[in-house]
Amino acid sequence: MACVDDGTPPTLSFLGGAGTVTGSKHLVTTARGRILLDCGLFQGLKSLRLRNWDRPPFDPAGLTSVVLSHAHLDHSGWLPVLVRKGFRGAIHCTSGTADLVGVVLRDAAKIQEEDAARANRHGYSKHRPALPLYTVEDVERTLDRLRPHPYGRAVDVEAGARVTFRRAAHILGSATVQLDLDEQRPVRLVFSGDLGRWHRPILRDPEFVPEADVLLVESTYGDRTHANGSEETLVRVIRDAYDHGGAVIVPAFAIGRTQELIWTLRKLEDDGRLPQVPVYIDSPMARSVTELYCEHPEDHDLDMATLMDERRCPLCCREYHVVRTTQESKALNRRPGPMVIIAGSGMATGGRVLHHLRHRLPDPRTTVLLPGFQAAGTRGRSLQEGAREVKIHGGWVPVRARIETLDGLSAHADQDEILRWLGGFTRPPAVTWLVHGEPAASAALALRIESELGWTVGVAEDGASVSLLVEPDAPARAGREADARLQRG
Ligand SMILES: [Zn+2]
């Protein structure tokens, strides 16, 4: 790694999370260092998951630092591989993210170790022996490299590179990343990470960023606007389960959606809109994460802060059971409804929700409540698309349960909300790149940004590198204005 500026223009390379919503990895190469923005795991389609085993297109030992937008696995889940392959720099993030990523990565390693062991026991993997992508030991070595920082303060991550985190309101600790580089001329790269939403429970609203030369924006929901009415769906589904003695299975992400769901259930109970139904939180990770949500007041909005002052963490409901062991989890199979089981993972790709689905999908009294967006290739997406059977633990399970989607709980900004966040910039970035979206979503968002804001915008191509020294597109804009004048004239 060169330590002096040799005049090479800085570049940005899209190494994951481009054309897809997982595997987020964006490499900033300057004359002085190599900074990786996010280091996510590929999830979903098998062809994507296989990429987690590929050699990265850069030398991990040559990376100088990693900057992490938030703790979700599709942004952080490849870090242990990076460290095992030789990365020895610091991983910069917010304080909430540093706490969360410990829980997330330990859980991921444990699931991978258990899945590999199960595959070896039952012999349903092509690989003998089936190996986990990484182990709990790899994770511990990774966590030693975390460097937590407060929101809103510019911190030097290395010579000539400063990072400022601002609240993204997506999950606890989530941040947008402003990276200021001292190059031939100063360059400001802003990365949205995953953007959250305004006026949601628990977390404070997203913060605007005033300026960027190059902007990197997620586009998960770039072609959609969120439906409201998650409370109505929740009331309808839970009342129905109550009447018929059914189970409601929510394959929820342990982070964010589970806490928002618990918050909403508690509120509906407080308002007298729900009958008392036992709620089982069947995820040790969700329990740990819920505790962390209570421990980070810097992320709390006013309602959360007020309730925290009045009583202990308001993230629980009346008949609230935390399922601790696998045995307790399996014992739920013998328990009749009505009940709500909230279990990971959120797209039914792994974790304890699988054995609940295997047991209860054939029962027509069951409702599977999918918490919003389900990526292509996941069991959640198959169920959402009406699959009559799904494969779980190597066997086919018939689907007779009702499948519902709870859209309002999404932790991602929709098209209007992304535009609202973009509206916070006081001047157009020289170029805006869209990442973290399936192609249709990114294309729709690009069109809207171009037509409404008149910005220069492109959809990031997987594997492509672009320059960070972009001239402001004055000629292009002037051209467009001239065209508009001509048309008016
Ligand atoms: Zn996320």
Side-chain angles (χ1 to χ4, degrees), residues 69-75 170-171 174 193-195 411-412 436:
S69 68
H70 66 294
H72 272 148
L73 270 189
D74 55 336
H75 295 256
H170 170 62
I171 57 168
S174 64
D194 280 355
L195 282 175
H412 280 275
H436 205 275

Side-chain angles (χ1 to χ4, degrees), residues 379-419:
R379 280 187 201 85
R381 174 69 82 93
S382 303
L383 289 171
Q384 211 163 39
E385 288 175 346
R388 306 295 297 272
E389 53 178 13
V390 287
K391 200 173 185 182
I392 297 176
H393 295 153
W396 290 97
V397 180
V399 181
R400 296 192 195 94
R402 278 195 312 170
I403 311 296
E404 301 253 5
T405 297
L406 203 56
D407 263 330
L409 276 188
S410 174
H412 280 275
D414 65 11
Q415 197 188 59
D416 291 339
E417 290 161 325
I418 296 171
L419 264 288

